[in-house]
Amino acid sequence: MRVQMLGLCRFSYVGLRGYKIEHDSYEERRRFLYQPDRLARRWQWFTRVALPAWQAQTDPDFTLVIMTGPDLPDPYLSRLRELVAGMPQLRLELVPPMERHLQACRAAIAPHVESDADVIGHFRHDDDDAVAIDYVASTRRDFRRVKALWKTEQRLSLDYSRGVMASVGPDGIELTPRLCHNMGVALTVFLPPEVESSALHFDHSKIGLWMPGVAITKPLMFLRAIHGDSDSGAMGPGTPWSLSREQADRQLWQRFRLRRQDLDSLARES
């Protein structure tokens, strides 16, 4: 059974709805998103936190669509074009501002759905979060284990629940290990290729309303950043688990290709 792994990452997309921070007009939203200091911070988080693990995936067979607007200011639009040219798994979609956010998301991913795939593994990825370097490989493996459940309804969510919350403070990053179900990051929604939906079409906090789900609680699979530019600054519900500083430092590199000192530096710059 051929599973296409297809993700969507929104980078300062000027559209209405779809976010916790709302604006009344495109102009107001554009002014907010395109503030020079904000764009500079988002770029640093995207390239220094989100990208390293995507570049190091043990299974390189995936597509990650970067969605932004055609008027994204330079140098960031040019930099995105350069990134996409240098990494075959990335696709850049320039979507004009749209009032209905889910339609915009569908417009971004629709050209990249492989119609000959049996199943599409849809995922969303925020531009300041990280997934583990074996996220794609693990998702394919674990889907094979539960595909009989998918066949009953042609919908299934697969949730990797073990993560680390990275909170930005004046002295650097504070890491809080948490077991959090259906956070959105490292959550895959499996649908048939002809279904005109994506992971964004289902509220991850209520995903059980639409489909059965499987939670996998080991190993550590995501890092979620919490800082002033986050759409939601809350850590959310979850269960703490133990990780010493030394273990955390090893896991940062082994799982995400990140170093604590780089995260601390990024936090202080933010």
Side-chain angles (χ1 to χ4, degrees), residues 177-227:
R178 301 271 283 187
L179 197 66
C180 305
H181 295 295
N182 299 321
M183 286 296 297
V185 59
L187 173 68
T188 310
V189 175
F190 295 95
L191 300 170
E194 64 272 15
V195 173
E196 294 187 359
S197 298
S198 71
L200 273 297
H201 284 74
F202 305 95
D203 182 339
H204 58 85
S205 66
K206 303 174 184 177
I207 200 165
L209 292 173
W210 297 285
M211 66 190 72
V214 176
I216 298 177
T217 58
K218 290 183 179 179
L220 172 62
M221 194 62 79
F222 71 84
L223 179 144
R224 180 169 176 258
I226 302 174
H227 53 90

Side-chain angles (χ1 to χ4, degrees), residues 13-43:
Y13 170 68
V14 178
L16 303 182
R17 307 184 186 183
Y19 298 93
K20 290 184 173 61
I21 300 174
E22 294 282 1
H23 295 92
D24 294 328
S25 68
Y26 295 127
E27 291 72 22
E28 185 181 354
R29 184 149 189 84
R30 184 178 286 107
R31 285 195 299 270
F32 170 76
L33 293 178
Y34 290 175
Q35 295 173 60
D37 289 348
R38 183 187 185 279
L39 278 176
R41 287 193 301 270
R42 298 307 294 195
W43 182 258

Side-chain angles (χ1 to χ4, degrees), residues 9-266:
C9 178
R10 301 166 296 177
F11 186 84
S12 295
Y13 170 68
V14 178
L16 303 182
R17 307 184 186 183
Y19 298 93
K20 290 184 173 61
I21 300 174
E22 294 282 1
H23 295 92
D24 294 328
S25 68
Y26 295 127
E27 291 72 22
E28 185 181 354
R29 184 149 189 84
R30 184 178 286 107
R31 285 195 299 270
F32 170 76
L33 293 178
Y34 290 175
Q35 295 173 60
D37 289 348
R38 183 187 185 279
L39 278 176
R41 287 193 301 270
R42 298 307 294 195
W43 182 258
Q44 291 300 315
W45 281 94
F46 178 50
T47 56
R48 294 165 63 179
V49 175
L51 272 182
W54 288 119
Q55 294 168 329
Q57 285 295 306
T58 58
D59 181 349
D61 183 12
F62 67 93
T63 298
L64 180 61
V65 178
I66 311 298
M67 171 184 172
T68 192
D71 64 344
L72 179 71
D74 269 330
Y76 303 104
L77 184 54
S78 296
R79 290 176 180 176
L80 283 176
R81 293 186 191 278
E82 291 173 5
L83 275 178
V84 169
M87 185 174 170
Q89 294 90 350
L90 298 184
R91 304 287 189 275
L92 180 62
E93 285 293 335
L94 306 181
V95 181
M98 296 176 66
E99 181 179 356
R100 298 193 176 275
H101 191 71
L102 294 181
Q103 290 182 0
C105 293
R106 180 62 191 176
I109 67 166
H112 308 285
V113 173
E114 297 177 2
S115 59
D116 59 346
D118 298 295
V119 186
I120 310 297
H122 293 275
F123 59 92
R124 60 188 292 174
H125 191 78
D126 288 348
D127 59 12
D128 53 1
D129 293 339
V131 293
I133 62 173
D134 59 350
Y135 164 68
V136 173
S138 298
T139 301
R140 279 208 170 90
R141 178 200 64 209
D142 292 330
F143 175 76
R144 290 194 296 269
R145 295 172 174 173
V146 297
K147 65 181 179 181
L149 183 59
W150 178 81
K151 289 180 179 179
T152 62
E153 295 191 36
Q154 302 286 288
R155 289 181 175 186
L156 177 69
S157 67
L158 185 64
D159 169 42
Y160 291 107
S161 308
R162 188 171 296 261
V164 172
M165 304 297 181
S167 301
V168 172
D171 298 321
I173 289 285
E174 180 181 355
L175 299 178
T176 304
R178 301 271 283 187
L179 197 66
C180 305
H181 295 295
N182 299 321
M183 286 296 297
V185 59
L187 173 68
T188 310
V189 175
F190 295 95
L191 300 170
E194 64 272 15
V195 173
E196 294 187 359
S197 298
S198 71
L200 273 297
H201 284 74
F202 305 95
D203 182 339
H204 58 85
S205 66
K206 303 174 184 177
I207 200 165
L209 292 173
W210 297 285
M211 66 190 72
V214 176
I216 298 177
T217 58
K218 290 183 179 179
L220 172 62
M221 194 62 79
F222 71 84
L223 179 144
R224 180 169 176 258
I226 302 174
H227 53 90
D229 287 327
S230 300
D231 189 48
S232 173
M235 191 174 296
T239 303
W241 58 282
S242 297
L243 195 64
S244 71
R245 184 182 178 90
E246 292 74 19
Q247 289 171 328
D249 289 349
R250 286 196 300 270
Q251 290 285 284
L252 281 174
W253 178 253
Q254 292 171 0
R255 302 298 292 155
F256 308 111
R257 293 299 185 263
L258 300 174
R259 301 286 192 191
R260 182 187 292 268
Q261 58 266 35
D262 295 331
L263 293 177
D264 284 338
S265 175
L266 181 57

